[in-house]
Amino acid sequence: MATAQNTTIPVNVGVVLEIDNWVGKMGLSCISMALQDFYASHGYYKTRVVLHTRDSKRDVIGAAAAALDLLKNVQVEAIIGPATSTQADFVINLGGKAQVPIVSFSATSPSLSSIRSPYFIRATHNDSSQVKAISAIIQAYGWREVVPIYVDNELGEGILPFLSDALQEIDTRIPYRSIISPSATDDQIATELYKLMTMQTRVFIVHMLPSLSSKLFTKAKEVGMMSEGYVWIITYGITDLLSSLDASIIDSMQGVLGVKPHVPRTKEHENFRVRWKKKFQQDNPTDLNAELNIFGLWSYDAATALAMAIEKLGATSIGGYGKTNISGNSTDLESFGISQSGPKLLQSLLSTTFRGLSGDFHIIDGQLQSSTYQIVNVIGNGGRGIGFWTAANGIVRELNSTNSKANLGAIIWPGDTTSPPKGWMIPTNGKKLRVGVPVKDGFSEFVKTTWNSDTNTTTVAGYCIDVFDAVMAALPYVVLYEYIPFATADDQAKIAGTYDDLVYQVFLGNFDAVVGDITIIANRTQYVDFTFPYTESGVSMFAPIKDNKSKSAWVFLKPLTWELWVTSFCSFVFIGFVIWVLKHRINEDFRGPPSHQLGLIFWFSFSTMVFAHREKVVSNLARFVVIIWVFVVLILTQSYTASLTSMLTVQQLQPTVTDVNELVNKGEYVGYQDGSFVQGLLKRKKFDEHKLVPYNSPEECDELLSKRSGNGGIAAAFDEIPYIKLFLGRYGSKYTMVEPTYKTDGFGFVFPKGSPLGLDVSRAVLNVTEGDTMVNIGRAWFGKQSTCPDPSSLVSSNSLGVGSFWGLFLIAGVASFSALLISTALFLYEHRHVLSRFDPNVSIWRKFVVMARHFDQKDLSSHTFKKSEWRGTSMHAVEPSPNITNCPPPSTSSFSLHASPNTNGPSSPSSFSNHSDANFFRDQQATLSPPPNGQTPQEIVPPIELSNPNQDRPGA
């Protein structure tokens, strides 16, 4: 044994803890057991950590003095501790000067970081790591406001920026911060709690040491803040020490929620817990029911890591302290040396990783990394786990589950209730809700304030007031409120500013809410919240009505735009041309002199509007085109008739102004309601500010409109739709509303940003507006609907354009063009033998002229000509000539027209049906030319053979 001791090298390590404190006692015992266990299992190691313990005496100066003693007199290679963030703040600076690593297992404040001092190692979780778990709980229950209660030192101040950011991400506000002094008395704590009771927020996050939180919860129970409706959430600095608190303290914390780092239960963990409890009871017989917590496990792992780092560094690298260059007049704080092995030990410690009792020990950025937090509900004698939080899955009931809040365990809230609190409450022992209302000279149907100088009181009434009263009555709880007029101090009948100024009072905190004819617009939502609107939305123009019954001789042209007139005219001409092309060769009505045919083109197409034609349509293609065109004409004429009728009747209700730009260009005077945001809207529309005339009442507006713009009045007025409806309800026979309507969101009630009451009021607004209550309130203030023209029937153009009929024109055009192509193709096919005989050198124009001549000829093969010829010949039978002999017998089955052969004359054409008139006469001239030998030709009379109509008749 002696040999083994001589071969080991002692390494001095300091320990600065609060010896009489629970965390200090537990930490010291765990550190000792860690070194015993480490060297028991690694007896061959050359180094041995020797602990030098100092008491910080629960004081910053005591901690600094203890650290200074260890650095100067003992020359330790590292220091474990101190216990609190406040004490660690100063000790870290000393360690940095001496280049000695400071390893703390309980200094959790985010303000302490390795960036500030590289020789600080946080062998615990940063307080900022738990804010995500806390914000997840708040988000799961939809709480919109939270009040943090924290200690006034580095511990409390360090977490607040991270907590604020986490809450801001879930759109939760911090309306107030409650700061408790570390040395606060019970009376001071009670005073702060009473202040919190006067506020609406009922969700509190407590972050402080367990000793101070014990006093806080004891007082909270005394004043009634641990009752139903309250929510208390504690950080892991308190949650992990619940087992060390007295039963009376636990009793005052019933229903509290807490978070703490999750430590997996392993066999090694349980064995150590049993051994530690036995040893701790032996060393501290007066401390009964001691329970190991996460801080004890972290201290155990920190001591183990330090022993491993020292052994890894090697005994030869432990070199003691070097001398400083400080002068002889320096103080004790500057006279200690610099550790020669400190930088190497720091790097060895940062690279040390192992599986400890608290989990994986791995220092990243100078601190342990957090992963999972357990959510605890204080019930009975301690905390009961109800779920977990992980960065990957958020809140879950079990670690292998991905379900959220619905899978949390049952929670007992303060007041022994299982119903989740809504997170806010109107304080019954506080002051009433201060509701600001505007003071108006006109439009009193919406808001009317009456000042009674005798009683020094103000009576508030109106449509908006009744709606708000109905909404507040619909809430599931009672809210006490009072109306406060937004009036000047010297005149209660005069408003103290614009509506924007009134809304801004909520942001300043002078009013808790604002009720009245307040419009929801974008710039106001930047600093206040609005409820859902309860009126119609929009800003529009209204103007006088003129007697505009048209006396113009050209009013019949107005139903259609000039584009539609031109399009219709061109369509008529095109359809007439198409019909002429389709019927020219087969219908005698479409033949004749060019002037006659041109007139017929216009006549046929334009006359389809009024009557049927005497010209027969015998072509199927022409019939197809005419049917479609008649349908188009029908739609056009009916639409024209309806539009003209509308112009001659409804046009009497036209306003004097129909275009906003016309008012701007002419520099007309326009009106707006005084104090309204409409003034800013008109300025953005480029109206001259000097041309804007304010009015305060419907009577004043009527007077201005009656005078007109050139006589000290206005040409038109702009206002919101609810005001316009009220105005037209009185003067609907003289004025009307004109488009366009500029979109707004209507009237709403104003509340502070993030106000939970505003959310409940919005829901109540929906309930009220969907029922009969709003109808009854509107009828009470505005009466029955006016019989004047509906102001929502906005004036617009009555002229019909091409856009309304382009589909019809497209159909007619496609049909006509298709028929034209088919007819042309058939004509060219029938005369393909003519095209084939053209000389290749003939010009295209010559070919076109020849084909045009053929087109101009009758199509005698058409059934129309055959039918007419058959009728003509049946009425004029011709007897055979006596000079003709050897005539063939007449045909009994067909009609033919040909010349009989003569013994001395040439034969005539065999058939007339396949020749034109011109060809026929040319053939006859060739036949009548003088014969040879000077013989006189015989007269040739072409016989006409008719079929015997009685041949097939029985008995003929």
Side-chain angles (χ1 to χ4, degrees):
M1 180 67 66
T3 304
Q5 291 179 350
N6 293 333
T7 58
T8 59
I9 299 175
V11 178
N12 296 324
V13 173
V15 178
V16 179
L17 295 173
E18 296 175 354
I19 302 301
D20 59 343
N21 179 272
W22 159 248
V23 175
K25 292 178 181 181
M26 178 182 59
L28 186 59
S29 65
C30 289
I31 292 172
S32 300
M33 292 183 66
L35 296 178
Q36 292 174 7
D37 294 344
F38 180 75
Y39 291 120
S41 59
H42 302 86
Y44 55 90
Y45 280 1
K46 300 297 183 181
T47 58
R48 291 292 185 272
V49 172
V50 179
L51 298 178
H52 298 270
T53 304
R54 297 291 186 272
D55 186 6
S56 65
K57 300 178 182 180
R58 300 190 179 189
D59 185 67
V60 175
I61 297 177
L68 187 62
D69 175 61
L70 293 172
L71 294 173
K72 183 177 180 181
N73 300 322
V74 183
Q75 294 189 343
V76 294
E77 300 298 332
I79 294 177
I80 299 177
T84 67
S85 299
T86 305
Q87 298 171 10
D89 190 23
F90 192 80
V91 173
I92 289 172
N93 291 328
L94 295 178
K97 288 182 177 294
Q99 296 185 2
V100 172
I102 307 298
V103 183
S104 177
F105 60 87
S106 57
T108 59
S109 175
S111 62
L112 308 175
S113 66
S114 60
I115 298 177
R116 177 178 168 186
S117 176
Y119 285 89
F120 173 61
I121 302 297
R122 193 198 310 271
T124 179
H125 290 175
N126 192 324
D127 275 342
S128 63
S129 64
Q130 63 186 321
V131 298
K132 291 290 185 180
I134 295 173
S135 66
I137 297 174
I138 295 171
Q139 184 180 29
Y141 290 96
W143 297 320
R144 299 296 302 277
E145 288 189 352
V146 171
V147 172
I149 305 176
Y150 58 95
V151 63
D152 188 14
N153 58 24
E154 287 83 354
L155 176 66
E157 295 172 354
I159 194 177
L160 197 61
F162 300 92
L163 181 62
S164 299
D165 292 343
L167 295 177
Q168 187 175 4
E169 290 178 3
I170 61 173
D171 197 23
T172 298
R173 295 178 59 247
I174 298 179
Y176 178 74
R177 300 177 182 182
S178 178
I179 305 175
I180 307 295
S181 171
S183 58
T185 63
D186 290 347
D187 291 340
Q188 291 173 334
I189 293 176
T191 301
E192 182 66 20
L193 291 176
Y194 280 122
K195 182 188 296 185
L196 295 177
M197 291 180 67
T198 63
M199 302 178 184
Q200 295 184 11
T201 308
R202 290 295 182 264
V203 182
F204 306 106
I205 299 176
V206 180
H207 181 66
M208 57 184 62
L209 292 176
S211 57
L212 185 59
S213 67
S214 299
K215 298 165 64 175
L216 174 71
F217 282 107
T218 301
K219 279 298 175 183
K221 184 176 181 180
E222 290 181 5
V223 301
M225 294 182 68
M226 298 303 298
S227 58
E228 184 176 356
Y230 286 87
V231 178
W232 295 87
I233 302 175
I234 56 178
T235 57
Y236 75 76
I238 305 172
T239 308
D240 256 316
L241 296 175
L242 287 175
S243 59
S244 65
L245 301 179
D246 293 339
S248 60
I249 305 299
I250 296 296
D251 183 64
S252 66
M253 298 176 64
Q254 296 297 300
V256 172
L257 295 182
V259 296
K260 67 176 184 178
H262 172 62
V263 179
R265 292 297 182 93
T266 62
K267 184 177 180 180
E268 293 79 5
H269 183 198
E270 293 301 322
N271 291 337
F272 175 76
R273 183 182 296 274
V274 173
R275 291 191 300 112
W276 173 85
K277 190 169 185 178
K278 182 178 179 180
K279 183 179 185 302
F280 188 83
Q281 290 294 338
Q282 292 175 354
D283 298 340
N284 304 276
T286 58
D287 292 333
L288 304 177
N289 300 320
E291 292 291 339
L292 183 67
N293 60 39
I294 188 66
F295 292 104
L297 301 180
W298 280 333
S299 64
Y300 184 96
D301 290 345
T304 302
L306 186 58
M308 293 175 65
I310 291 175
E311 179 64 27
K312 185 168 55 176
L313 185 62
T316 57
S317 299
I318 306 299
Y321 280 42
K323 294 182 179 180
T324 63
N325 295 324
I326 303 300
S327 62
N329 296 328
S330 62
T331 63
D332 287 343
L333 294 177
E334 300 173 316
S335 60
F336 52 81
I338 298 176
S339 174
Q340 300 298 316
S341 57
K344 296 180 180 179
L345 179 58
L346 175 65
Q347 295 303 318
S348 179
L349 188 58
L350 292 175
S351 62
T352 299
T353 59
F354 62 96
R355 180 70 177 179
L357 292 179
S358 63
D360 292 331
F361 186 94
H362 185 199
I363 300 297
I364 300 177
D365 295 331
Q367 61 188 8
L368 284 182
Q369 301 302 300
S370 60
S371 57
T372 304
Y373 278 90
Q374 185 179 20
I375 303 173
V376 174
N377 185 203
V378 179
I379 297 296
N381 298 325
R384 176 174 59 89
I386 57 173
F388 299 90
W389 177 89
T390 64
N393 299 322
I395 296 177
V396 293
R397 179 66 183 94
E398 302 292 342
L399 287 179
N400 58 353
S401 173
T402 58
N403 293 331
S404 58
K405 183 187 73 173
N407 215 22
L408 276 175
I411 300 177
I412 305 298
W413 302 94
D416 196 24
T417 178
T418 58
S419 299
K422 63 182 178 181
W424 69 277
M425 185 184 303
I426 299 298
T428 56
N429 58 344
K431 55 186 178 181
K432 296 180 180 179
L433 202 69
R434 298 166 300 168
V435 181
V437 294
V439 177
K440 298 177 67 68
D441 293 335
F443 295 96
S444 58
E445 289 84 355
F446 291 98
V447 178
K448 181 179 182 181
T449 57
T450 305
W451 169 253
N452 191 330
S453 58
D454 297 334
T455 60
N456 197 26
T457 58
T458 301
T459 303
V460 181
Y463 173 78
C464 300
I465 303 301
D466 285 357
V467 172
F468 184 74
D469 290 340
V471 168
M472 299 305 286
L475 293 175
Y477 46 85
V478 177
V479 178
L480 301 178
Y481 57 93
E482 59 179 344
Y483 294 112
I484 303 175
F486 184 55
T488 59
D490 55 345
D491 187 358
Q492 291 295 320
K494 183 179 180 181
I495 192 169
T498 64
Y499 273 48
D500 286 338
D501 297 332
L502 172 58
V503 171
Y504 197 67
Q505 299 304 307
V506 176
F507 176 77
L508 297 177
N510 297 328
F511 292 135
D512 299 317
V514 166
V515 172
D517 45 350
I518 311 296
T519 304
I520 305 171
I521 54 178
N523 68 320
R524 292 173 180 173
T525 59
Q526 296 177 2
Y527 46 88
V528 295
D529 280 346
F530 283 90
T531 63
F532 289 127
Y534 58 91
T535 64
E536 294 181 72
S537 61
V539 174
S540 191
M541 176 177 70
F542 57 101
I545 295 174
K546 61 181 178 181
D547 183 10
N548 198 30
K549 187 173 182 179
S550 180
K551 301 177 178 62
S552 172
W554 304 101
V555 68
F556 66 91
L557 295 176
K558 292 184 178 180
L560 307 182
T561 61
W562 69 269
E563 294 93 346
L564 185 55
W565 279 116
V566 172
T567 303
S568 301
F569 177 80
C570 294
S571 299
F572 275 106
V573 174
F574 177 70
I575 293 298
F577 171 74
V578 171
I579 297 299
W580 175 82
V581 170
L582 297 176
K583 301 174 66 173
H584 174 67
R585 302 182 67 241
I586 63 175
N587 195 330
E588 287 289 354
D589 293 333
F590 286 82
R591 302 185 64 82
S595 59
H596 171 75
Q597 298 183 51
L598 181 63
L600 190 64
I601 290 175
F602 287 92
W603 162 261
F604 185 88
S605 60
F606 283 94
S607 62
T608 55
M609 293 187 297
V610 291
F611 57 82
H613 308 85
R614 68 176 182 84
E615 296 83 6
K616 294 183 178 181
V617 180
V618 295
S619 169
N620 288 332
L621 290 176
R623 289 170 180 169
F624 173 68
V625 173
V626 170
I627 288 174
I628 293 180
W629 178 244
V630 169
F631 175 74
V632 173
V633 171
L634 175 65
I635 299 299
L636 279 175
T637 54
Q638 294 296 325
S639 301
Y640 173 85
T641 303
S643 181
L644 180 61
T645 303
S646 174
M647 285 187 171
L648 295 177
T649 55
V650 179
Q651 194 174 12
Q652 300 178 45
L653 303 178
Q654 291 287 327
T656 55
V657 180
T658 58
D659 188 6
V660 176
N661 294 326
E662 179 183 351
L663 293 172
V664 177
N665 296 333
K666 291 183 178 180
E668 300 282 5
Y669 287 90
V670 296
Y672 68 95
Q673 191 176 165
D674 192 18
S676 172
F677 74 96
V678 176
Q679 180 185 15
L681 174 65
L682 296 177
K683 290 180 180 179
R684 292 193 296 272
K685 294 297 179 182
K686 305 301 177 60
F687 278 97
D688 187 353
E689 186 174 0
H690 301 291
K691 301 289 185 178
L692 303 180
V693 181
Y695 58 84
N696 291 302
S697 65
E699 294 77 14
E700 185 177 355
C701 180
D702 174 52
E703 181 180 355
L704 290 172
L705 288 170
S706 300
K707 292 181 179 179
R708 303 299 173 93
S709 180
N711 301 317
I714 57 178
F718 290 81
D719 215 329
E720 297 172 76
I721 289 180
Y723 299 114
I724 297 177
K725 283 195 170 185
L726 177 62
F727 179 82
L728 295 180
R730 299 182 184 179
Y731 307 103
S733 61
K734 300 166 57 178
Y735 310 100
T736 188
M737 189 161 64
V738 186
E739 69 177 0
T741 297
Y742 303 100
K743 181 67 176 176
T744 62
D745 287 331
F747 294 166
F749 304 127
V750 183
F751 286 91
K753 272 284 188 182
S755 171
L757 179 59
L759 294 177
D760 286 354
V761 172
S762 286
R763 297 187 187 97
V765 167
L766 294 179
N767 293 331
V768 172
T769 54
E770 291 173 357
D772 296 332
T773 305
M774 291 292 291
V775 177
N776 296 331
I777 295 175
R779 185 179 295 114
W781 284 100
F782 306 123
K784 296 182 179 181
Q785 294 293 329
S786 173
T787 57
C788 65
D790 185 2
S792 63
S793 301
L794 302 178
V795 177
S796 60
S797 174
N798 289 322
S799 297
L800 301 175
V802 179
S804 302
F805 301 98
W806 70 269
L808 287 174
F809 287 118
L810 177 63
I811 294 173
V814 171
S816 303
F817 192 71
S818 301
L820 192 61
L821 286 178
I822 294 173
S823 175
T824 303
L826 292 175
F827 171 75
L828 294 176
Y829 179 77
E830 291 174 357
H831 293 77
R832 60 187 181 279
H833 59 283
V834 178
L835 293 173
S836 63
R837 295 176 182 175
F838 280 120
D839 190 324
N841 297 325
V842 175
S843 64
I844 296 177
W845 174 252
R846 177 59 183 170
K847 294 179 181 180
F848 175 78
V849 171
V850 172
M851 295 307 296
R853 290 176 179 174
H854 280 276
F855 177 78
D856 191 48
Q857 297 171 6
K858 294 181 180 180
D859 184 7
L860 297 178
S861 63
S862 171
H863 68 282
T864 56
F865 288 119
K866 289 181 179 180
K867 185 175 181 180
S868 61
E869 291 171 0
W870 183 87
R871 290 175 179 174
T873 55
S874 64
M875 295 174 63
H876 302 87
V878 181
E879 296 182 356
S881 173
N883 297 325
I884 299 177
T885 61
N886 299 325
C887 293
S891 174
T892 61
S893 60
S894 63
F895 166 74
S896 62
L897 182 63
H898 64 276
S900 299
N902 188 280
T903 55
N904 296 322
S907 61
S908 62
S910 61
S911 176
F912 182 75
S913 60
N914 292 326
H915 295 76
S916 64
D917 297 341
N919 292 335
F920 174 77
F921 288 117
R922 282 197 297 269
D923 291 343
Q924 297 305 313
Q925 291 175 0
T927 303
L928 296 176
S929 60
N933 303 324
Q935 299 178 359
T936 302
Q938 298 179 359
E939 181 182 1
I940 298 178
V941 179
I944 298 177
E945 299 178 357
L946 297 175
S947 60
N948 187 355
N950 299 322
Q951 179 178 353
D952 298 332
R953 187 176 304 170

